[in-house]
Amino acid sequence: MSRSANTTAVLYLLLCTFLWGASFPVGKHALSEVNALTLVMWRFSIASVCLYLYTKYKHMPIPTLTPKQWAWAIGVSIIGVGGLNLGLFTGLEQTNANNGALIMALSPLVTSLIGSIAQRQFPTKGALFSLVVCLSGVLLVLTDGAFAKLLGFEFNHGDQMIFLGMLCWSLYTYLTQGISRWMPMIPYTLVGMLSGLGVISLMVLFSAEVHPLQESLAISRSVFGDLIFIGVFGTVGGYLLWISGVKQLGAANASLFFNFVPVFAALTAFAYGQQVTALQLLGMAIVIAGLLIPRLVKWQYQRLTVHNV
């Protein structure tokens, strides 16, 4: 691997996590004028069009799959992509954008734990350490430092929805590892966007409270910009940057950059004038430390081993 290629990959991943982190406060701002389901419809519609045009530009053929494979790909996409966005944006209506980003920062860890359970393997000491420390950081923020709330399960409903969305995304990430063996990732993501759009459209059809057309016609220029940002940059751009970074640095190294998502979310929220508390900053620091410390210890151990040999 060349140093310049690695540097480019690092820049891609930093930009990717910035776009993903910024999508939380940007989405929170957009929800001041549109319903969460309307926002998700915009996101899926814009992302579907962009990904379709990208596949045509790259001359990517439609995958040849069996009916069972198509059903599995669509079903997993509905759970993961649809569940994530439904939980995330309905949750953001009732909670802080920084809380949402902090909860989503648990996704790589939860994905790893799902893999351990599915393979009937006991999690490593590093994974258990990360789990305890990261959950402590998240719970510190969600309970406002009053851990007594745990006894009564008095969590904000929005936090609960985002947590459920994170679980859906973690399950989707794990199952996607198997699907990627027989389906290219970009067409698979397009299937995910179209599947999510279909589910959300059905929900809107049977919801008397949501009026996407009327809401869209009445939005301000700033919120229209928010929707374009989330669809084009926060979804399509972020995903393509992530793929490029993973190809160069590998999934394990790339996953470390996910820790920057809550940091960029806090910075963007501050720029939007949304509140960023000292407790949230402390929680972010604890979560990032919980995710990084085991990896740094492992890296140092490997480095010393190689040096001694």
Side-chain angles (χ1 to χ4, degrees), residues 50 74 85 141 163 182 190 243 259 279:
C50 290
I74 293 172
N85 285 271
V141 175
F163 188 80
W182 41 265
L190 176 58
I243 288 178
N259 304 326
L279 195 63

Side-chain angles (χ1 to χ4, degrees), residues 1-29:
M1 293 184 186
S2 67
R3 182 172 298 180
S4 60
N6 286 348
T7 301
T8 301
V10 167
L11 293 175
Y12 281 167
L13 291 171
L14 284 174
L15 180 57
C16 168
T17 51
F18 166 74
L19 294 174
W20 283 346
S23 294
F24 287 88
V26 169
K28 179 71 174 178
H29 180 258

